[in-house]
Amino acid sequence: MKNTKAIFFKQFQSLLRNPGMIVQAILFLVLVIIMTFLIGGYEDTDCESCIPAYVCTPCLEGNTYTSAADPSLTGLFTVMFVGFALVGSASALVIEDKTTQNLRFMAMADVKPWQYLVGTVVSMAILSVGILALYALVGRYLGVQMIWFMAITMSGAIVSILLGLVVGLSKAPGLTTLLSLVLGLGPMLSGFNEALARVLRFTFTQQVNLAVSDLSADLSTNFMIIGANGAVILLLFVWMHRKGVLG
């Protein structure tokens, strides 16, 4: 417990000292506000005028199902923050520890892999709660909607942090950029491409994207897929550290 607390405070200070995650979150929020002001409100449109065409076709045929999402502007940037900023920030924390030899010193001090995992995830999750609450307020997700918004986005955020940490600890930390781009930008691009939407439907960020598009729907499947993503990443972490040594 002592080691876990030490890791938590150390990582929390690192996040404040190098506030890349916070800066990206604020930048996304500013973009949401600016774009909302420039675009203005959305007027209701009938099916014949909706774009892209693959959404109109099933609608006109009386089938409203589509694997594509249609989140609000705030929801879209929230997904980008969850998939892009958090994966990169978690990986950057680990890479910093590797570069400064802190990871080696922690291993010599008998810090267990699970202690490093818990300390890092909790420190980032606490900051993420505050940031996502701001997104909820800016997007006017209030009342019950705010509860569901926070629940689904925080679930995705925790999985993102886990993924960034695991990739950072792996022998190929360079994959972080590619993964964060796919997970952060993929859901946005899936709104223009049905095939991409179907490919990404098993990823946690696409499930967050689908959920914030309609928070009044049954979100059980979204939570299940996000949870399954997290379980796979945790299993990978356990396999990587099966010898019980941090590094």
Side-chain angles (χ1 to χ4, degrees):
M1 190 64 177
K2 183 179 179 181
N3 286 341
T4 305
K5 288 176 64 176
I7 298 297
F8 166 79
F9 287 114
K10 181 266 174 192
Q11 301 293 51
F12 198 83
Q13 290 173 359
S14 294
L15 289 167
L16 296 179
R17 187 174 61 252
N18 301 303
M21 182 182 83
I22 299 173
V23 169
Q24 288 183 70
I26 294 173
L27 176 61
F28 289 159
L29 273 175
V30 171
L31 287 174
V32 169
I33 294 170
I34 292 174
M35 291 177 70
T36 301
F37 177 78
L38 292 176
I39 296 173
Y42 294 96
E43 296 181 357
D44 292 334
T45 57
D46 57 27
C47 190
E48 293 181 358
S49 62
C50 70
I51 296 174
Y54 68 79
V55 175
C56 285
T57 302
C59 182
L60 290 170
E61 292 175 351
N63 177 14
T64 57
Y65 173 77
T66 175
S67 58
D70 185 25
S72 65
L73 193 60
T74 304
L76 188 64
F77 277 94
T78 301
V79 175
M80 289 178 63
F81 168 73
V82 169
F84 185 80
L86 289 181
V87 174
S89 296
S91 183
L93 275 180
V94 178
I95 293 172
E96 179 187 359
D97 286 337
K98 284 183 175 180
T99 304
T100 58
Q101 302 298 315
N102 281 336
L103 206 62
R104 178 177 295 181
F105 294 143
M106 291 177 198
M108 292 173 61
D110 200 30
V111 173
K112 303 299 181 185
W114 69 266
Q115 294 174 327
Y116 185 80
L117 175 76
V118 173
T120 303
V121 170
V122 173
S123 64
M124 292 192 67
I126 288 176
L127 281 177
S128 298
V129 168
I131 291 170
L132 290 172
L134 287 176
Y135 277 95
L137 293 173
V138 170
R140 298 181 182 178
Y141 295 99
L142 305 174
V144 176
Q145 276 203 333
M146 184 175 188
I147 294 174
W148 286 116
F149 179 88
M150 292 298 297
I152 197 73
T153 55
M154 273 306 300
S155 298
I158 291 172
V159 177
S160 274
I161 296 167
L162 285 172
L163 178 61
L165 189 148
V166 168
V167 175
L169 287 169
S170 72
K171 295 180 180 180
L175 288 174
T176 301
T177 302
L178 176 61
L179 288 173
S180 60
L181 285 173
V182 171
L183 294 171
L185 300 181
M188 178 186 69
L189 297 176
S190 70
F192 305 98
N193 189 298
E194 175 72 2
L196 180 61
R198 293 187 181 279
V199 170
L200 293 176
R201 70 184 184 277
F202 296 113
T203 64
F204 64 94
T205 49
Q206 179 66 346
Q207 290 304 314
V208 173
N209 193 35
L210 290 167
V212 297
S213 297
D214 186 7
L215 292 171
S216 61
D218 181 5
L219 304 182
S220 56
T221 300
N222 305 86
F223 280 112
M224 286 176 61
I225 295 177
I226 292 171
N229 277 239
V232 170
I233 296 168
L234 272 178
L235 285 174
L236 181 58
F237 177 84
V238 171
W239 181 81
M240 286 171 55
H241 298 90
R242 58 192 179 279
K243 296 181 179 179
V245 178
L246 182 63

